[in-house]
Amino acid sequence: MASTNTEVGIDDHSADVFPPFQTETYPSQLLWLALTFGLFYYLMAKVALPRISSILEVRSDRIEQDIEEANRLQRESDEAQAAYEYDLAEARNNAQVIAQRARDEAKAEADTKRGAEEARLNEMLEKADADIAATKAAAMEDVGAIAEETTQALVNSLLDGKITKAQVSKAVSKAGAGA
Amino acid sequence: MASNPIDQFKISKILDLQVGSFDFSFTNSALFMVVTVATTAAFLILTTSGRGLIPGKLQSLSEILYEFVANMLRDAAGAEGMKFFPLVFSLFTFILVANLFGMFPYFFTFTSHIVVTAALAFLVIGTVIVYGFYKNGIGFLKLFVPDGVPVALLPIVGLIEVISFLSRPISLSVRLFANMLAGHITLKVFAGFVTSLSSLGFLGIVGAALPLAFTVALTGLEFLVAFLQAYVFAILTCMYINDAIHPSH
């Protein structure tokens, strides 16, 4: 294999040794490992990792803030919702009160109107009754006078007698009372 | 043609650099370390440069990576473990991207070298030991003395605990190294079967269908392994860090 290998081995006599065990390559590997890994560690510790850490921190702060803000808005909207519902209930209550009052007023008005009308009607009824009674009384008086005249005429013609008007009137009222 | 499955792990110099008796040459391994670091860092930094409140697709990817590792560490080591977040995050992304780059044909996989994985493992264990003693003082040694163990058994249990602690860097490094190495060798071997069989004529081409199917399936598996090994390395790091923070268990 050494003959076909055009690359320069570290040492010709060591070319047959298993490469990881060629100790003469160790100083070079260790030096370059120390340099490269040291630089890498420095870059990570001083630049890359603080930067990523700050990115993640800023983001988690921002998310926390946003969640807080969202909670605040949620609270506000809950409060607005509650206020709205309270207003709605109150308005509904008021509406009921107003309606009740309107109903009561309408009823009271109707009651007074009906009372007045009834009173007027009663008055008219009473007046009519009184008229009837007066008419009846007048009629009854006329009946008495007619009876007296009729009786006087009858008696005069039948008995050809002399009967006074006073006697007839007395008899008629007696008969009327007896009847 | 590099038909030998081991050749892909060969370190080759790109830029010669000798300091004293040490060879610090810039090699293909170093090149891919640079590429890995450059692409990963550039991706993470550029995609987040907009600092978008609402992330785009790429910024999302960076954030997901961040949160994935952050959750892993927080779950394993608690809030106090977060001071090691840059370390765990760097280890995870570095190994993950290196492993994934290794899946490209002709790309070098530097995590398939034991010295690299061992160095990373000792970095982890070293951090655990230093921080453990710094934070808990001598109380860190309680790590080796589990609660509720009879006094008579304590020396044996303590010894076992010490051995298990010492084997951590070994298992941590060998697991990653061996997985990457074995996966790449297996892929190469099966892919090699395809080329060598199909050179045998018609029947060989028909027969090559099987290793080809295997190669495709293994490629999928290797992508999983590439992620899984980075994840395992990172999660074990988290657990060891937890030991350093809370040694009494």
Side-chain angles (χ1 to χ4, degrees):
Chain A
M1 70 180 185
S3 59
T4 56
N5 188 4
T6 53
E7 292 168 333
V8 183
I10 293 284
D11 248 330
D12 280 336
H13 67 83
S14 69
D16 289 336
V17 181
F18 187 52
F21 298 146
Q22 288 172 353
T23 49
E24 62 278 7
T25 66
Y26 286 5
S28 154
Q29 290 195 64
L30 287 174
L31 172 74
W32 289 103
L33 176 68
L35 288 178
T36 52
F37 189 74
L39 176 70
F40 187 64
Y41 179 87
Y42 177 82
L43 287 174
M44 291 301 105
K46 296 292 167 200
V47 185
L49 298 181
R51 188 186 288 177
I52 297 175
S53 156
S54 85
I55 291 172
L56 296 176
E57 225 159 82
V58 164
R59 183 176 308 142
S60 78
D61 282 358
R62 176 65 189 273
I63 288 170
E64 217 162 87
Q65 256 175 30
D66 285 1
I67 287 174
E68 220 162 81
E69 175 75 3
N71 282 339
R72 193 181 63 74
L73 291 174
Q74 167 96 44
R75 259 199 314 280
E76 266 176 23
S77 82
D78 283 353
E79 276 163 19
Q81 168 96 22
Y84 160 76
E85 268 167 15
Y86 175 79
D87 284 353
L88 192 67
E90 201 169 333
R92 204 173 277 145
N93 233 13
N94 285 347
Q96 251 166 11
V97 167
I98 289 166
Q100 187 64 42
R101 199 186 299 142
R103 243 195 322 270
D104 289 351
E105 273 172 14
K107 198 176 166 203
E109 201 179 331
D111 281 352
T112 42
K113 269 186 183 163
R114 193 178 60 206
E117 195 66 18
E118 270 174 6
R120 197 173 63 81
L121 287 175
N122 281 341
E123 205 174 295
M124 278 168 78
L125 215 59
E126 270 165 31
K127 208 170 142 202
D129 279 349
D131 281 356
I132 289 168
T135 311
K136 197 178 170 186
M140 286 309 266
E141 250 168 59
D142 285 353
V143 166
I146 290 166
E148 279 168 24
E149 272 169 35
T150 312
T151 309
Q152 196 176 7
L154 279 174
V155 169
N156 281 342
S157 65
L158 285 175
L159 299 179
D160 195 23
K162 307 275 195 221
I163 191 161
T164 63
K165 202 173 177 179
Q167 281 175 303
V168 172
S169 185
K170 198 180 168 190
V172 166
S173 54
K174 202 177 172 185
Chain B
M1 189 176 114
S3 58
N4 187 314
I6 302 300
D7 280 0
Q8 59 181 321
F9 304 111
K10 247 201 184 105
I11 300 237
S12 51
K13 286 183 201 177
I14 295 171
L15 219 70
D16 215 337
L17 184 69
Q18 298 275 348
V19 177
S21 59
F22 290 113
D23 179 8
F24 289 132
S25 301
F26 189 77
T27 61
N28 52 354
S29 168
L31 173 68
F32 277 94
M33 290 175 189
V34 170
V35 168
T36 298
V37 166
T39 49
T40 314
F43 180 86
L44 287 169
I45 290 169
L46 292 180
T47 56
T48 55
S49 61
R51 292 164 187 270
L53 192 62
I54 298 158
K57 280 182 198 151
L58 296 178
Q59 190 186 323
S60 269
L61 194 59
S62 294
E63 289 173 9
I64 287 166
L65 200 59
Y66 179 99
E67 295 199 310
F68 177 71
V69 181
N71 289 336
M72 190 200 301
L73 181 56
R74 204 178 292 116
D75 288 348
E80 211 184 326
M82 290 310 281
K83 67 180 67 154
F84 293 102
F85 180 57
L87 176 68
V88 177
F89 185 86
S90 302
L91 281 170
F92 176 70
T93 45
F94 187 68
I95 295 169
L96 176 67
V97 174
N99 290 352
L100 290 176
F101 266 131
M103 291 307 296
F104 283 94
Y106 298 107
F107 277 30
F108 184 83
T109 319
F110 62 80
T111 44
S112 65
H113 275 251
I114 182 76
V115 66
V116 172
T117 60
L120 295 175
F122 277 105
L123 173 66
V124 170
I125 298 299
T127 307
V128 166
I129 291 173
V130 170
Y131 184 75
F133 278 116
Y134 165 73
K135 168 103 193 315
N136 307 290
I138 203 76
F140 181 57
L141 294 177
K142 272 193 289 188
L143 184 61
F144 305 117
V145 187
D147 289 337
V149 173
V151 180
L153 286 177
L154 219 48
I156 305 168
V157 173
L159 186 68
I160 293 171
E161 290 284 338
V162 169
I163 292 170
S164 99
F165 186 83
L166 291 179
S167 64
R168 277 175 183 184
I170 301 166
S171 69
L172 198 56
S173 55
V174 169
R175 184 182 301 111
L176 176 58
F177 153 71
N179 266 287
M180 298 322 292
L181 187 83
H184 282 75
I185 291 176
T186 319
L187 264 183
K188 191 84 175 193
V189 167
F190 275 103
F193 282 160
V194 179
T195 51
S196 48
L197 272 175
S198 52
S199 66
L200 295 179
F202 177 72
L203 276 179
I205 290 174
V206 172
L210 196 63
L212 181 63
F214 262 117
T215 309
V216 173
L218 276 174
T219 305
L221 182 71
E222 280 308 300
F223 272 106
L224 179 71
V225 168
F227 170 79
L228 208 62
Q229 287 308 317
Y231 178 73
V232 166
F233 198 98
I235 195 102
L236 285 174
T237 302
C238 294
M239 293 164 101
Y240 298 160
I241 284 170
N242 184 45
D243 281 347
I245 298 168
H246 315 105
S248 46
H249 59 146

